[in-house]
Amino acid sequence: MAEAEIKGMIQDLESFHITSTDTRARSIFKFKIEVLKEMLDFLRDLKLEERSRLKFLMADLVELGQDVMDLANASWIGFRLKCLKDEIQMTEMRMRNFGADENNIGDEEEAEEVVVGLEENVKTLLDRVILTEVKELHVMCIKGMIGIGKTTLARQLYKAGAGKFQRHAWVCASTDMSKKEILMKLIQQMVEGYERDPSLEEMDNRSLQQMLRQHLQDMSYFIVLDNIPNEMGLDYIFKALPSRDAGLTGSRLLFTNRYVLRIANIDYTHEMSALDSDKSWQLFLKIVNKITSDENTFTKELERKGKEMLKKCGGLPLAIRDVARQKAEQRLSGIEWEQLFDSIDLSESLKALEPMYFELGEEFKPHFLLLSLFKENVIMRGEKLEQIWDANGLDNTVTWEFIRSSILTIVKQHFSQISCHLNPLLHKISIKKAEEEMGLEILRSNGNSRPSQNARHRVIHCSRDRFNHFTNENSKQLISLVFHGGGRYLDDAGQSYWKSFEALKILDIEDFGVKSLYETIGTLIELRYLGLRNNYMQEIPHSLAELKNLEVLDIALNFMVVVPNTVGQMGNLRELHMSDVIFQKPLKEDALQNLRSLAYISIYDWTCEDPNSSRKYKLQTLGIEEFDENSNVSKLFETLAKFPKFKNLFIRGFRYRSMPCMDGMGVIPYLKVLKLDGRIGRLPSADCMHQFPMHIALVNTCLDEDPMPILEKLCFLRHLKLRNAYTGREMVIQKGGFPRLEVLCINELWNLRKIQVDDDAMSSVKELEINNCPHLETLPEQIRRMSKLQKFKMVTTKHIATKIRNSGLTSEIIEVDIHP
């Protein structure tokens, strides 16, 4: 692009900056002018050849300047200008980093044709998404981490389905590729006569968009944009296509990406899963047989060893392929299979995955490094992740960003509470980078340790054997101390052990078998997080009162542990997690002043007095247990109503006793999450429950009356879970019921025989799960007309499962999982 053109855009923007009266627009104009000037200086310093390679990205940057000016007089300018500013920053970054990923090939090599574990996905997506009779444009995304098979799945869909459309195109993108280059590639593949036309390079983006849009008018097309960069705005793609209603040609647009694409146009996102043990072995065998040109056979013992070896690949096809190639080549060199399964080299796979770390924003890298503190392949509580990050002074709201970018995957979700998994290969990368960048030290009782002279974070892996590594050298600078495994490590440690950790902020001894701790733990005055969950603790040390900086104390799953009065003196405590504890004295409101989360505490250890109105209470979450018909619920609700930030309430009944009715619940003004666990005679009316709950779980409530006529009137309800909640035979959801409900889970309704759903009910439901309802032999006919329903899961008897499959009621739902 000529220097004069860039200068011309700068002059135009300066004119708009002077005349514009919108302060938000003026700030964007100024920002855009500065970026263009910086890029102009940046280009002048480059050689002619380097400048030429950047011409298309520079065209994108100038085009964004025109977009800014086009919005100058728009009434909705604010949000769109912010999006443009983000896109301008990303384009500038891509120009400065041009060439950094020249070796980026997406998930796998183009020539690789060995496919395992995708057959069912291909058939389902072809039948229910790609080749359906739906006539409008359907946009979908295949999401997952690097190497999990996104490109392979997309290629199988493209090969099988592209020929059914009048026009089709496949574009493999990269962070270096400009919008203009993508538009040119689409035109070259879909517009006749332009396969190699050099005149496309002289056209601006808007002209290219117009050409493609006009040519595709009234035509069906299937476009795949593979490995589309997350930072690339996608509006330009939709501007290059006919409007979604034009022609109703039944076209398809498919993206592959490791991020959840933040655009409203996505109709469906398919989340890729890692391969299980059997499919990992099948893929390994296919590749080995292909390379060795032989039908290799293995004894059961060798197969077991092979599967054990492949576990280290974490079900990732990219890693399994690498290992299979290595082993096949070693076998061809004469090494016997018995020797080949004893070791594994994942260095190439780890190198291929490292871009996931390098592409993280600088603000997210410290979060990723701290994932190294967890055990490999462990299921991580999102709550604990956030607490660990927070104790290190980091933003604790990053969990969903990591899920969005396929670093973490959700294993279980209960409303806002989630459990996550980190692929073992990403865990290895987090350890490697943490050792390099934050002073991670790993010590093992088997002697395979990696000590560090400048350790700031220490992880100790113990077996059941005695571990004599009691040297506390360099312990004064430790920030984190985490124990995994079990054994006698802490039983053998003396009272002086804890006195060496002067700077310690995180101490995690979860699931370790600890029976007691010395009072000297009170010397850890910098401690912010203390995790003692799932041990054999009988009493909490009184010295915890000395931990004035402690913010999180987790003593849950220590059965009948005695909690001293001193816990109420820990003024900075923000989260207290426990269950089945014995308080020496009831907890007073003074202890709640800084608490944000308290769960679970006995109703008898909770003093329901009016909180001091002059204090700023921060309590948001409360779990109450041992509830029965004698509990004063009205007083409890009146107290909670005076906590200005309170929004999550979990109530557990006392053994087999019934809980009182919750009619007074409506006084809590901003209740968002409600869980009732225990018998209850009836639900309060919808008016008494208030309109604001977004998440409700009824567990073991054993209601005699159908709860749906009450719950369906809660117009803000998004998630509803019923487990052993209702003893009746029929459930009715009336016309217009549950207008915003997105997820419905029905479990263990042992007598349920019929669910009736009237027209226009549950119109927003995306996920429906029905498990262990052994007499429910049919589904409501309305399921056919629930246009947003994309996921259906059912666990039932073999007879009913067959009947449901043959009914055809779920044939239009994309993800269907009926067991057995």
PDB file of all heavy atoms in Angstrom, residues 5-19 29 33 65-66 69:
ATOM      1  N   GLU A   5      -1.397   6.795   0.515  1.00  0.00           N
ATOM      2  CA  GLU A   5      -2.729   6.330   0.910  1.00  0.00           C
ATOM      3  C   GLU A   5      -2.876   6.332   2.430  1.00  0.00           C
ATOM      4  O   GLU A   5      -3.916   6.685   2.973  1.00  0.00           O
ATOM      5  CB  GLU A   5      -2.942   4.905   0.373  1.00  0.00           C
ATOM      6  CG  GLU A   5      -4.229   4.781  -0.441  1.00  0.00           C
ATOM      7  CD  GLU A   5      -4.371   3.393  -1.022  1.00  0.00           C
ATOM      8  OE1 GLU A   5      -3.418   2.945  -1.673  1.00  0.00           O
ATOM      9  OE2 GLU A   5      -5.422   2.779  -0.797  1.00  0.00           O
ATOM     10  N   ILE A   6      -1.822   5.921   3.104  1.00  0.00           N
ATOM     11  CA  ILE A   6      -1.848   5.904   4.570  1.00  0.00           C
ATOM     12  C   ILE A   6      -1.923   7.337   5.100  1.00  0.00           C
ATOM     13  O   ILE A   6      -2.699   7.639   6.012  1.00  0.00           O
ATOM     14  CB  ILE A   6      -0.597   5.198   5.125  1.00  0.00           C
ATOM     15  CG1 ILE A   6      -0.519   3.771   4.569  1.00  0.00           C
ATOM     16  CG2 ILE A   6      -0.626   5.172   6.641  1.00  0.00           C
ATOM     17  CD1 ILE A   6       0.772   3.061   4.894  1.00  0.00           C
ATOM     18  N   LYS A   7      -1.125   8.221   4.503  1.00  0.00           N
ATOM     19  CA  LYS A   7      -1.173   9.624   4.922  1.00  0.00           C
ATOM     20  C   LYS A   7      -2.552  10.217   4.683  1.00  0.00           C
ATOM     21  O   LYS A   7      -3.062  11.008   5.486  1.00  0.00           O
ATOM     22  CB  LYS A   7      -0.109  10.427   4.168  1.00  0.00           C
ATOM     23  CG  LYS A   7       1.322  10.130   4.585  1.00  0.00           C
ATOM     24  CD  LYS A   7       2.302  10.993   3.811  1.00  0.00           C
ATOM     25  CE  LYS A   7       3.734  10.765   4.264  1.00  0.00           C
ATOM     26  NZ  LYS A   7       4.685  11.581   3.482  1.00  0.00           N
ATOM     27  N   GLY A   8      -3.179   9.833   3.561  1.00  0.00           N
ATOM     28  CA  GLY A   8      -4.522  10.334   3.263  1.00  0.00           C
ATOM     29  C   GLY A   8      -5.528   9.905   4.314  1.00  0.00           C
ATOM     30  O   GLY A   8      -6.386  10.699   4.727  1.00  0.00           O
ATOM     31  N   MET A   9      -5.440   8.647   4.771  1.00  0.00           N
ATOM     32  CA  MET A   9      -6.345   8.169   5.811  1.00  0.00           C
ATOM     33  C   MET A   9      -6.101   8.926   7.117  1.00  0.00           C
ATOM     34  O   MET A   9      -7.046   9.274   7.828  1.00  0.00           O
ATOM     35  CB  MET A   9      -6.136   6.663   6.022  1.00  0.00           C
ATOM     36  CG  MET A   9      -6.974   6.054   7.152  1.00  0.00           C
ATOM     37  SD  MET A   9      -8.748   6.319   6.937  1.00  0.00           S
ATOM     38  CE  MET A   9      -9.056   5.281   5.501  1.00  0.00           C
ATOM     39  N   ILE A  10      -4.833   9.201   7.437  1.00  0.00           N
ATOM     40  CA  ILE A  10      -4.531   9.959   8.658  1.00  0.00           C
ATOM     41  C   ILE A  10      -5.158  11.351   8.581  1.00  0.00           C
ATOM     42  O   ILE A  10      -5.760  11.837   9.547  1.00  0.00           O
ATOM     43  CB  ILE A  10      -3.004  10.057   8.861  1.00  0.00           C
ATOM     44  CG1 ILE A  10      -2.422   8.670   9.194  1.00  0.00           C
ATOM     45  CG2 ILE A  10      -2.662  11.048   9.975  1.00  0.00           C
ATOM     46  CD1 ILE A  10      -0.906   8.631   9.261  1.00  0.00           C
ATOM     47  N   GLN A  11      -5.048  12.004   7.425  1.00  0.00           N
ATOM     48  CA  GLN A  11      -5.633  13.351   7.252  1.00  0.00           C
ATOM     49  C   GLN A  11      -7.154  13.313   7.413  1.00  0.00           C
ATOM     50  O   GLN A  11      -7.746  14.186   8.054  1.00  0.00           O
ATOM     51  CB  GLN A  11      -5.253  13.909   5.891  1.00  0.00           C
ATOM     52  CG  GLN A  11      -3.765  14.265   5.766  1.00  0.00           C
ATOM     53  CD  GLN A  11      -3.368  14.661   4.360  1.00  0.00           C
ATOM     54  OE1 GLN A  11      -4.198  14.657   3.451  1.00  0.00           O
ATOM     55  NE2 GLN A  11      -2.100  15.000   4.170  1.00  0.00           N
ATOM     56  N   ASP A  12      -7.797  12.300   6.828  1.00  0.00           N
ATOM     57  CA  ASP A  12      -9.255  12.182   6.952  1.00  0.00           C
ATOM     58  C   ASP A  12      -9.672  12.003   8.402  1.00  0.00           C
ATOM     59  O   ASP A  12     -10.639  12.620   8.873  1.00  0.00           O
ATOM     60  CB  ASP A  12      -9.760  10.998   6.117  1.00  0.00           C
ATOM     61  CG  ASP A  12      -9.638  11.253   4.620  1.00  0.00           C
ATOM     62  OD1 ASP A  12      -9.502  12.428   4.231  1.00  0.00           O
ATOM     63  OD2 ASP A  12      -9.672  10.273   3.850  1.00  0.00           O
ATOM     64  N   LEU A  13      -8.945  11.155   9.116  1.00  0.00           N
ATOM     65  CA  LEU A  13      -9.267  10.903  10.523  1.00  0.00           C
ATOM     66  C   LEU A  13      -9.056  12.166  11.361  1.00  0.00           C
ATOM     67  O   LEU A  13      -9.831  12.448  12.283  1.00  0.00           O
ATOM     68  CB  LEU A  13      -8.408   9.761  11.065  1.00  0.00           C
ATOM     69  CG  LEU A  13      -8.821   8.346  10.631  1.00  0.00           C
ATOM     70  CD1 LEU A  13      -7.709   7.354  10.953  1.00  0.00           C
ATOM     71  CD2 LEU A  13     -10.106   7.917  11.302  1.00  0.00           C
ATOM     72  N   GLU A  14      -7.997  12.930  11.053  1.00  0.00           N
ATOM     73  CA  GLU A  14      -7.750  14.168  11.797  1.00  0.00           C
ATOM     74  C   GLU A  14      -8.873  15.168  11.580  1.00  0.00           C
ATOM     75  O   GLU A  14      -9.284  15.880  12.509  1.00  0.00           O
ATOM     76  CB  GLU A  14      -6.400  14.756  11.375  1.00  0.00           C
ATOM     77  CG  GLU A  14      -5.211  13.960  11.918  1.00  0.00           C
ATOM     78  CD  GLU A  14      -3.872  14.483  11.416  1.00  0.00           C
ATOM     79  OE1 GLU A  14      -3.842  15.120  10.324  1.00  0.00           O
ATOM     80  OE2 GLU A  14      -2.856  14.244  12.103  1.00  0.00           O
ATOM     81  N   SER A  15      -9.430  15.207  10.361  1.00  0.00           N
ATOM     82  CA  SER A  15     -10.560  16.097  10.083  1.00  0.00           C
ATOM     83  C   SER A  15     -11.779  15.683  10.898  1.00  0.00           C
ATOM     84  O   SER A  15     -12.471  16.527  11.487  1.00  0.00           O
ATOM     85  CB  SER A  15     -10.905  16.073   8.585  1.00  0.00           C
ATOM     86  OG  SER A  15      -9.818  16.541   7.823  1.00  0.00           O
ATOM     87  N   PHE A  16     -12.053  14.384  10.948  1.00  0.00           N
ATOM     88  CA  PHE A  16     -13.183  13.891  11.735  1.00  0.00           C
ATOM     89  C   PHE A  16     -12.962  14.156  13.220  1.00  0.00           C
ATOM     90  O   PHE A  16     -13.894  14.449  13.956  1.00  0.00           O
ATOM     91  CB  PHE A  16     -13.367  12.385  11.494  1.00  0.00           C
ATOM     92  CG  PHE A  16     -14.285  12.076  10.349  1.00  0.00           C
ATOM     93  CD1 PHE A  16     -13.831  12.129   9.037  1.00  0.00           C
ATOM     94  CD2 PHE A  16     -15.607  11.726  10.580  1.00  0.00           C
ATOM     95  CE1 PHE A  16     -14.665  11.837   7.981  1.00  0.00           C
ATOM     96  CE2 PHE A  16     -16.455  11.431   9.526  1.00  0.00           C
ATOM     97  CZ  PHE A  16     -15.995  11.487   8.215  1.00  0.00           C
ATOM     98  N   HIS A  17     -11.700  14.031  13.653  1.00  0.00           N
ATOM     99  CA  HIS A  17     -11.394  14.251  15.066  1.00  0.00           C
ATOM    100  C   HIS A  17     -11.705  15.684  15.472  1.00  0.00           C
ATOM    101  O   HIS A  17     -12.212  15.950  16.562  1.00  0.00           O
ATOM    102  CB  HIS A  17      -9.911  13.931  15.319  1.00  0.00           C
ATOM    103  CG  HIS A  17      -9.485  14.136  16.741  1.00  0.00           C
ATOM    104  ND1 HIS A  17      -8.749  15.229  17.145  1.00  0.00           N
ATOM    105  CD2 HIS A  17      -9.721  13.403  17.857  1.00  0.00           C
ATOM    106  CE1 HIS A  17      -8.526  15.153  18.441  1.00  0.00           C
ATOM    107  NE2 HIS A  17      -9.100  14.052  18.899  1.00  0.00           N
ATOM    108  N   ILE A  18     -11.442  16.615  14.570  1.00  0.00           N
ATOM    109  CA  ILE A  18     -11.676  18.036  14.866  1.00  0.00           C
ATOM    110  C   ILE A  18     -13.162  18.354  14.890  1.00  0.00           C
ATOM    111  O   ILE A  18     -13.653  19.077  15.761  1.00  0.00           O
ATOM    112  CB  ILE A  18     -10.953  18.928  13.830  1.00  0.00           C
ATOM    113  CG1 ILE A  18      -9.431  18.769  13.974  1.00  0.00           C
ATOM    114  CG2 ILE A  18     -11.350  20.391  13.987  1.00  0.00           C
ATOM    115  CD1 ILE A  18      -8.639  19.425  12.854  1.00  0.00           C
ATOM    116  N   THR A  19     -13.922  17.779  13.945  1.00  0.00           N
ATOM    117  CA  THR A  19     -15.341  18.151  13.796  1.00  0.00           C
ATOM    118  C   THR A  19     -16.292  17.322  14.646  1.00  0.00           C
ATOM    119  O   THR A  19     -17.424  17.723  14.877  1.00  0.00           O
ATOM    120  CB  THR A  19     -15.761  18.018  12.324  1.00  0.00           C
ATOM    121  OG1 THR A  19     -15.533  16.665  11.883  1.00  0.00           O
ATOM    122  CG2 THR A  19     -14.950  18.970  11.447  1.00  0.00           C
ATOM    123  N   PHE A  29     -10.808   8.163  17.305  1.00  0.00           N
ATOM    124  CA  PHE A  29     -10.132   8.800  16.174  1.00  0.00           C
ATOM    125  C   PHE A  29      -8.669   9.071  16.536  1.00  0.00           C
ATOM    126  O   PHE A  29      -7.746   8.796  15.762  1.00  0.00           O
ATOM    127  CB  PHE A  29     -10.809  10.120  15.803  1.00  0.00           C
ATOM    128  CG  PHE A  29     -12.175   9.946  15.191  1.00  0.00           C
ATOM    129  CD1 PHE A  29     -13.162  10.902  15.390  1.00  0.00           C
ATOM    130  CD2 PHE A  29     -12.482   8.847  14.414  1.00  0.00           C
ATOM    131  CE1 PHE A  29     -14.413  10.757  14.833  1.00  0.00           C
ATOM    132  CE2 PHE A  29     -13.729   8.689  13.853  1.00  0.00           C
ATOM    133  CZ  PHE A  29     -14.704   9.644  14.068  1.00  0.00           C
ATOM    134  N   ILE A  33      -5.396   7.402  14.767  1.00  0.00           N
ATOM    135  CA  ILE A  33      -4.371   8.241  14.141  1.00  0.00           C
ATOM    136  C   ILE A  33      -2.989   7.871  14.669  1.00  0.00           C
ATOM    137  O   ILE A  33      -2.020   7.731  13.909  1.00  0.00           O
ATOM    138  CB  ILE A  33      -4.670   9.735  14.399  1.00  0.00           C
ATOM    139  CG1 ILE A  33      -5.933  10.161  13.627  1.00  0.00           C
ATOM    140  CG2 ILE A  33      -3.499  10.617  14.008  1.00  0.00           C
ATOM    141  CD1 ILE A  33      -6.506  11.491  14.088  1.00  0.00           C
ATOM    142  N   GLY A  65      -9.785   2.041   9.671  1.00  0.00           N
ATOM    143  CA  GLY A  65      -9.909   3.497   9.780  1.00  0.00           C
ATOM    144  C   GLY A  65     -11.173   3.986   9.101  1.00  0.00           C
ATOM    145  O   GLY A  65     -11.884   4.865   9.610  1.00  0.00           O
ATOM    146  N   GLN A  66     -11.501   3.410   7.948  1.00  0.00           N
ATOM    147  CA  GLN A  66     -12.727   3.770   7.250  1.00  0.00           C
ATOM    148  C   GLN A  66     -13.958   3.358   8.067  1.00  0.00           C
ATOM    149  O   GLN A  66     -14.948   4.090   8.137  1.00  0.00           O
ATOM    150  CB  GLN A  66     -12.767   3.082   5.874  1.00  0.00           C
ATOM    151  CG  GLN A  66     -13.957   3.492   5.013  1.00  0.00           C
ATOM    152  CD  GLN A  66     -13.937   4.974   4.686  1.00  0.00           C
ATOM    153  OE1 GLN A  66     -12.937   5.497   4.225  1.00  0.00           O
ATOM    154  NE2 GLN A  66     -15.048   5.656   4.958  1.00  0.00           N
ATOM    155  N   MET A  69     -14.653   5.947  10.700  1.00  0.00           N
ATOM    156  CA  MET A  69     -15.304   7.152  10.170  1.00  0.00           C
ATOM    157  C   MET A  69     -16.765   6.886   9.814  1.00  0.00           C
ATOM    158  O   MET A  69     -17.625   7.743   9.988  1.00  0.00           O
ATOM    159  CB  MET A  69     -14.539   7.665   8.946  1.00  0.00           C
ATOM    160  CG  MET A  69     -13.171   8.244   9.306  1.00  0.00           C
ATOM    161  SD  MET A  69     -12.378   9.111   7.928  1.00  0.00           S
ATOM    162  CE  MET A  69     -12.034   7.754   6.819  1.00  0.00           C
TER     163      MET A  69
END
